[in-house]
Amino acid sequence: MSDATKDKGREGRTGDGTRAVRAGLPEPVKHEPTLPGPVFAAHFHLPGEATGSYLYGRDDNPTWTLLERAVSELEAPGREDAETLVFASGMAAISAVLFSQLRAGDAVVLPSDGYQVLPMVGAQLKAYGIEVRTAPTGGDAQLEVLDGARLLWIESPSNPGLDVCDIRRLAEAAHARGALVAVDNTLATPLGQRPLELGADFSVASGTKQLTGHGDVLLGYVTGRDAEAMAAVRRWRKIVGAISGPMEAWLAHRSIATLQLRVDRQNATALTVAEALRRRPEVSDLRYPGLPDDPSHKIAAQQMRRYGCVVSFTLPTRARAERFLAALRLVEDATSFGGVRSTAERRRRWGGDDVPEGFIRMSVGAEDPDDLVADVLRALDESAE
């Protein structure tokens, strides 16, 4: 295939669906599969000098390469300088950025309302002599503690409260102060939000969630455009060995082909569920960035193309929340989010989130909207005292 034909093929990948279906695929070779199977290899033939792409299984793998190209095409379409590295989990990816970019004496700004493992990460950073500052996501409050920081960590929308901040504004302010910016893009996915286009240095996500969408893969990734910063992330991956298995990487790549179909269905249904919940008197603190009256909707509409599949709300008591979850038939009581099967859980059971006892995080799946709404409303009725 000529270079002109290759370029023409790339130029044709303008829509999210087309891009997701074609992302990361190798150039076609007669009698070869469209997406090659996973490469299971701890080592590779390596006569002579240790040069070339694939030297050892902890450093690189052809299956990772295709997946990393796919994620780069989604996170930064049209950007040849974007690089993605995949990891064994979302936390492995998060840790790689934090621990590769920070040194003793540095300061980092974390969200106080972010993923519940972040306080544990913060404690470890403090043990290494790094100053940890926190502020809520909403109202761009992290700006107030940014001076002198080396790295700003943004989670927007935040998990589980679904607050949103102005990423572009925070990134510009951070860069003016000499700080790097990383955005956790897990809830939005690259089809909902592109942090690098909003000024971030890193887009980080748990591919375990909606990116792969089937609840059967643990995976994380980091995408960035600065070669030196990404080299440090790659070095951290090599040192720690937090690598994805080839089967997981292949499953993730295969799943990306349906990402646009899943995201559009789940996002539309999430809005329908949120609208139904809004009419229930026992439901309070309902949050979904796609609702026009949500406190974050104005900012979300400026920087997000899709609003995610997660809805959060609070029921009056812990007992009511537990009865509601037990009454659901189409929604599994499980942690995580983003899968094709709807899940919900009472987040306070983990102890790490500053939310009320009756707080529910619901991940909307790919079920028929009418069936799902009917199930939720029935469970609310049956759980009433």
Side-chain angles (χ1 to χ4, degrees), residues 308-324:
C309 64
V310 176
V311 178
S312 69
F313 58 97
T314 301
L315 293 176
T317 64
R318 169 178 175 171
R320 178 67 187 277
E322 289 175 344
R323 290 197 302 271
F324 166 72

Side-chain angles (χ1 to χ4, degrees), residues 193-265:
Q193 182 173 265
R194 294 177 186 150
L196 299 186
E197 292 183 359
L198 297 171
D201 299 288
F202 304 98
S203 182
V204 188
S206 169
T208 308
K209 311 301 193 295
Q210 198 170 22
L211 186 83
T212 56
H214 291 78
D216 54 8
V217 171
L218 284 171
L219 192 94
Y221 70 82
V222 178
T223 302
R225 291 201 304 259
D226 184 271
E228 183 177 352
M230 289 301 292
V233 175
R234 181 183 290 274
R235 186 165 55 250
W236 180 263
R237 184 178 70 174
K238 178 182 178 70
I239 293 169
V240 176
I243 60 172
S244 170
M247 191 66 196
E248 287 80 1
W250 184 86
L251 285 169
H253 197 169
R254 180 208 60 175
S255 298
I256 285 175
T258 62
L259 180 61
Q260 185 258 346
L261 299 172
R262 291 184 282 106
V263 164
D264 282 353
R265 174 62 173 264

Side-chain angles (χ1 to χ4, degrees), residues 52 64 69 102 134 175 219 234 246 257 286 290 297 322 358:
W64 303 352
R69 289 175 184 170
L102 296 169
T134 61
H175 290 155
L219 192 94
R234 181 183 290 274
L286 173 67
H297 180 72
E322 289 175 344

Side-chain angles (χ1 to χ4, degrees), residues 37 78 80 137 302 350:
E80 296 296 328
T137 299
Q302 294 171 359
W350 296 101

Side-chain angles (χ1 to χ4, degrees), residues 22-177:
R22 307 294 306 176
L25 296 182
E27 297 299 337
V29 176
K30 189 174 182 178
H31 305 309
E32 293 293 325
T34 303
L35 176 62
V39 175
F40 299 100
H43 59 267
F44 304 88
H45 288 296
L46 192 62
E49 295 298 322
T51 59
S53 300
Y54 304 107
L55 310 178
Y56 183 62
R58 190 181 69 250
D59 299 333
D60 233 326
N61 179 289
T63 309
W64 303 352
T65 299
L66 296 180
L67 174 60
E68 289 169 346
R69 289 175 184 170
V71 173
S72 290
E73 288 183 30
L74 298 179
E75 284 279 358
R79 295 295 303 248
E80 296 296 328
D81 57 348
E83 178 185 3
T84 294
L85 297 170
V86 296
F87 289 82
S89 68
M91 278 309 306
I94 289 170
S95 299
V97 173
L98 291 170
F99 290 99
S100 70
Q101 304 302 314
L102 296 169
R103 303 288 184 273
D106 287 343
V108 61
V109 177
L110 302 178
S112 59
D113 55 343
Y115 180 46
Q116 63 159 340
V117 182
L118 285 181
M120 188 184 304
V121 175
Q124 190 62 54
L125 290 168
K126 290 178 183 178
Y128 290 155
I130 296 163
E131 179 188 355
V132 177
R133 308 170 187 169
T134 61
T137 299
D140 298 345
Q142 289 176 300
L143 284 173
E144 299 174 9
V145 293
L146 190 55
D147 285 352
R150 165 64 179 163
L151 175 66
L152 169 62
W153 189 275
I154 295 171
E155 193 173 294
S156 181
S158 61
N159 174 26
L162 303 183
D163 261 328
V164 171
C165 62
D166 188 333
I167 295 174
R168 190 181 299 278
R169 180 189 181 203
L170 265 67
E172 290 176 353
H175 290 155
R177 292 164 171 82

